[in-house]
Amino acid sequence: MRRKLAAGNWKMNGTRASLDEVRTLAAATSGARCEVLICPPATLLSRANEAAGTAPLRFGGQDCHADPSGARTGDISAEQLADAGARYVIVGHSERRTDHGETDAMVAAKALAARRAGLKAIICLGETLVEREAGQALAVIGRQLAGSVPDGAAGADTVIAYEPVWAIGTGLTPTPDQITEVHAALRAALLDRFGSGGWDFRLLYGGSVKPGNAAEIFALPEVDGALVGGASLKAADFLPIVAALSAAAAPVN
Ligand code: PGA
């Protein structure tokens, strides 16, 4: 059984004042039937961990360098994230691919670094609007999956997030059929490459997930949770999304 995952990506948002949101989430998600993760800016990782106390709320980084240490001004290693209390790290987010020119090979190296440090990697991929309109979405995603997921990856250390670039922060979302088509293609490619181990990778959807559309998205086959940006910043928005995922994870009687 794949454990469902509600992951929040705070991006370059949040200061110490945001720890109140962490405390609210920690108190409210203890009974969740899914895993709940917040990826705050690295400046807040340690304090967020402390603020959550013994609650099962997890934290992660938003990026890491491939090297464990060294002369890399401004970068943070996977080992340093783990030391600050991270359990996960997002790699290959489209904002990193666009703003920092990250290639699939670089993303794969970061995912390997995550594994080396004992972190789970959330590997992001997704097509642009131009690529979708040109009928290239599945080809682009297939290429990104092949290039960004390192050899030896397994469901225990790797999560895949399908995030169409045109849906991130725009309020636009793909149709249920479009999400289903991509997630089915991802699953098929994982099975092809990793054999039956391909079933173990969790597949998240990301891009304008909100309280109002979460339940519909979580009802889709092969959607094991979400990577949420804007709607993860406030507990009041993120909690209904966690509740929708918890409901989707309810045992069937
Ligand atoms: P969004 O961002 O939920 O604000 O669209 C998602 C993401 O970039 O992970």
Side-chain angles (χ1 to χ4, degrees):
M1 269 302 274
R2 296 185 298 266
R3 183 129 197 257
K4 294 191 184 285
L5 173 62
N9 173 12
W10 282 10
K11 308 190 179 183
M12 198 169 67
N13 298 294
T15 58
R16 268 183 296 172
S18 321
L19 296 174
D20 284 344
E21 304 298 328
V22 169
R23 287 186 200 96
T24 306
L25 286 174
T29 55
S30 288
R33 281 204 197 85
C34 58
E35 205 173 349
V36 185
L37 169 72
I38 292 291
C39 298
T43 49
L44 288 180
L45 258 180
S46 294
R47 280 188 282 224
N49 243 307
E50 281 161 26
T54 56
L57 184 59
R58 300 292 178 233
F59 297 95
Q62 299 175 8
D63 174 51
C64 66
H65 195 279
D67 293 346
S69 63
R72 304 288 184 198
T73 303
D75 280 313
I76 302 178
S77 71
E79 281 78 0
Q80 290 172 314
L81 292 173
D83 182 57
R87 307 286 187 100
Y88 283 81
V89 59
I90 298 168
V91 294
H93 189 282
S94 69
E95 287 152 16
R96 300 286 318 172
R97 291 178 186 261
T98 304
D99 298 350
H100 299 270
E102 291 190 6
T103 62
D104 290 335
M106 289 161 75
V107 175
K110 289 172 183 228
L112 271 180
R115 194 194 306 164
R116 182 187 67 218
L119 299 179
K120 296 184 206 305
I122 300 178
I123 301 176
C124 302
L125 39 81
E127 82 286 1
T128 64
L129 192 56
V130 170
E131 289 163 343
R132 175 155 287 277
E133 287 176 344
Q136 293 297 309
L138 291 184
V140 167
I141 291 155
R143 206 164 55 231
Q144 289 177 330
L145 186 78
S148 306
V149 178
D151 286 341
D157 56 42
T158 306
V159 177
I160 309 295
Y162 168 50
E163 298 208 307
V165 178
W166 50 275
I168 295 175
T170 58
L172 301 173
T173 48
T175 63
D177 282 353
Q178 287 172 327
I179 296 175
T180 300
E181 183 185 40
V182 171
H183 280 227
L186 289 171
R187 183 67 68 205
L190 289 167
L191 288 168
D192 199 41
R193 180 164 166 197
F194 296 104
S196 61
W199 289 117
D200 300 335
F201 291 79
R202 288 176 288 181
L203 303 182
L204 309 184
Y205 167 76
S208 297
V209 175
K210 309 273 182 240
N213 61 17
E216 185 187 18
I217 292 169
F218 296 151
L220 299 173
E222 299 288 354
V223 172
D224 300 309
L227 182 54
V228 183
S232 71
L233 293 174
K234 294 281 172 213
D237 293 325
F238 196 47
L239 284 172
I241 295 172
V242 172
L245 189 60
S246 255
V252 182
N253 294 315

